Amino acid sequence: MASRDAPSRARFVVLWLTQSISIFGSVLSSFAATTWLTTVAYARPEDRRMLSAVLAAQMLAFIVPNIVIAPLAGAWADRHDRRTTMVAADLANTAVASVLAGLALTGRLDATALIALIALISIIAAFHRAAFDASYVMLVAEHHLSRANALVDISWSLSNVLAPLLGVVLGGLPAIARAGAWQGAIGGAVAALPDGWGLAFALDAASFACAAAALCMLRIPSPLRGESAATPFWSDVLFGARFVRRRRALLWLLVSFLLLNLLTAPEHVLVPLMLRIGLAGDLRARGLSFEGGYALLTLVGSLGGIAGGVAVATWSGLKRRRVLGVLVPMAAIGLCQLGYGVTTSVVFAAVMAFLVTAFGPFTNAHSQAIWQTVTPPEIQGRVFAVRRVVATCSMPIGMGVAGALGGWLDPGWLLGGCGAVLLTVVVSQFWNPLRHDLEPAAAPGAIGGAA
């Protein structure tokens, strides 16, 4: 039985805005890490194969620990105060990001240390996300869940617009200061830095601290566990898996996202390589550097995410047959990724990047709304943790394969091939009878029947 306050849109908005601060810092830090690896650590043409492997390792360092820890984090979120968990996670990541910033600012950062610290941040983030995902359903009325999910997507997309712009500025600050454009003690200190990426990591640490401070002033209800509070911890860890396994329609939906993540994850590894290879000629013709091209694709793609998020937030999504709100945008993502990969035009690549991310909030918001509707609030931490593990466990495989093949084959054609496979498989799912079981009219916890 759950203890649930009356829906509070104001408290949700405060929660959303404050956590958006740390989201911005995380995106800025991720942009800085990728750019540092590409332009500083492995900048030579002969480093292409090593760069491909290290970019994959960087992404895996964030995803794999999160997958491994997620079931434990979900059980923890259902047993403990969720606001306290989020505050503790934000403070812990403040400390880790500060170490990363210190190494970068003193010129002692290397790829091994970067990857190790990213892995540690990932472990901590698993607890934060488990508590966060299960918190805002306690604050939002059921018919507004798609809108609330879209707002969270907007936070990521808006951060992906603004963070690369700030990242480019921060990365170039030491060179500007050394050229004499920045005088005084501060200018001298900045000029002494090896590069500006350490400043980005420092802002990430500050963003975590700000988010923790804001959470301390916000009340977020946690559900009462009742008799289930006496169950063993490891039983809680396994509970979420049993819940999903017994509901075939939810399991099918989960496998669909496993496939989506498998085939879209390579983009994180392949796009930087595309800019170094397939799109390099068009970049030079347009007078763009790698940093400029990477920021452009990230910026335009993020604008697409914002456009899609705003559309879903304004519309509030489908109230019936929500599975169509999952499958139709998913098929569109596959088609646009196909075009993204095979083009040699930076402009066309930017258009495809916009469309890929514009359809993302539609499929994510409808899927999240389905899960939130049919899962009781007091078990969402455990169930959503299992959902996250299964849905994202394919991402390391996709990134690993991309890292292994991206140094040998054309990265653009690899990305386009993934899009073609996704489109074909998703279109075939329109004839899958299980999709008819995902109706919001079903009783919570009973959707799809027992397997």
Side-chain angles (χ1 to χ4, degrees):
M1 181 175 180
S3 173
R4 178 170 182 157
D5 288 10
S8 173
R9 188 178 304 179
R11 269 188 290 161
F12 169 75
V13 170
V14 173
L15 175 64
W16 168 60
L17 289 175
T18 54
Q19 291 309 295
S20 295
I21 297 173
S22 64
I23 289 174
F24 177 84
S26 297
V27 174
L28 176 63
S29 184
S30 177
F31 178 84
T34 299
T35 308
W36 178 82
L37 287 171
T38 307
T39 63
V40 178
Y42 300 97
R44 300 176 303 173
E46 57 267 30
D47 290 334
R48 172 190 168 183
R49 291 174 184 170
M50 181 60 71
L51 174 62
S52 177
V54 173
L55 286 172
Q58 174 204 357
M59 296 298 175
L60 293 175
F62 186 79
I63 294 172
V64 172
N66 196 287
I67 292 173
V68 173
I69 296 297
L72 302 177
W76 177 277
D78 282 345
R79 284 175 168 261
H80 298 84
D81 182 76
R82 290 168 179 172
R83 185 189 70 165
T84 301
T85 299
M86 286 189 282
V87 171
D90 280 334
L91 291 176
N93 270 336
T94 299
V96 178
S98 296
V99 172
L100 178 57
L103 291 175
L105 290 171
T106 57
R108 292 183 290 175
L109 182 64
D110 58 29
T112 301
L114 175 67
I115 291 171
L117 291 171
I118 288 175
L120 184 55
I121 289 173
S122 173
I123 292 172
I124 299 168
F127 288 89
H128 184 282
R129 183 168 183 179
F132 179 70
D133 282 354
S135 290
Y136 61 88
V137 71
M138 303 292 293
L139 301 173
V140 180
E142 182 179 309
H143 61 281
H144 286 309
L145 285 175
S146 292
R147 179 173 290 151
N149 295 322
L151 288 174
V152 176
D153 274 344
I154 288 174
S155 294
W156 284 101
S157 299
L158 186 60
S159 295
N160 281 324
V161 170
L162 300 177
L165 297 177
L166 179 59
V168 170
V169 173
L170 293 174
L173 278 183
I176 294 173
R178 285 191 287 269
W182 194 350
Q183 304 296 327
I186 297 179
V190 173
L193 297 176
D195 53 66
W197 305 118
L199 298 173
F201 298 135
L203 283 180
D204 187 21
S207 75
F208 282 122
C210 290
L215 273 171
C216 289
M217 298 180 287
L218 182 66
R219 193 176 73 81
I220 300 173
S222 290
L224 298 177
R225 287 174 48 86
E227 295 179 359
S228 63
T231 59
F233 181 80
W234 287 105
S235 178
D236 272 2
V237 173
L238 297 175
F239 176 87
R242 291 194 297 267
F243 181 91
V244 176
R245 180 174 57 83
R246 292 169 181 168
R247 291 153 179 83
R248 291 179 297 173
L250 285 180
L251 186 60
W252 167 77
L253 181 63
L254 190 53
V255 171
S256 298
F257 273 82
L258 181 149
L259 177 67
L260 175 68
N261 288 327
L262 173 68
L263 295 172
T264 57
E267 177 183 336
H268 300 287
V269 176
L270 296 176
V271 168
L273 295 174
M274 288 165 56
L275 287 166
R276 287 274 296 266
I277 302 169
L279 298 173
D282 199 32
L283 280 178
R284 288 192 296 268
R286 298 177 185 277
L288 292 172
S289 63
F290 170 86
E291 294 94 326
Y294 187 43
L296 173 65
L297 292 182
T298 303
L299 171 64
V300 173
S302 301
L303 288 174
I306 293 174
V310 169
V312 178
T314 303
W315 168 39
S316 196
L318 296 171
K319 304 302 184 296
R320 292 180 54 82
R321 304 183 72 185
R322 282 173 171 157
V323 70
L324 293 180
V326 175
L327 291 178
V328 173
M330 197 180 288
I333 289 172
L335 178 62
C336 294
Q337 184 172 298
L338 170 61
Y340 194 180
V342 301
T343 186
T344 57
S345 165
V346 173
V347 173
F348 189 78
V351 172
M352 292 299 100
F354 179 93
L355 292 176
V356 165
T357 54
F359 288 114
F362 287 87
T363 191
N364 289 333
H366 284 96
S367 174
Q368 183 80 342
I370 290 171
W371 284 89
Q372 289 168 332
T373 299
V374 304
T375 308
E378 64 270 20
I379 65 171
Q380 286 190 5
R382 288 164 283 173
V383 173
F384 287 4
V386 171
R387 170 194 170 199
R388 186 159 52 251
V389 168
V390 176
T392 59
C393 70
S394 61
M395 294 180 71
I397 299 173
M399 291 181 182
V401 171
L405 298 181
W408 298 88
L409 303 178
D410 186 290
W413 283 97
L414 282 175
L415 184 64
C418 290
V421 172
L422 177 62
L423 174 62
T424 302
V425 175
V426 172
V427 168
S428 71
Q429 295 307 302
F430 283 93
W431 288 271
N432 191 322
L434 283 176
R435 72 181 182 87
H436 297 295
D437 294 335
L438 293 170
E439 284 294 329
I447 198 165

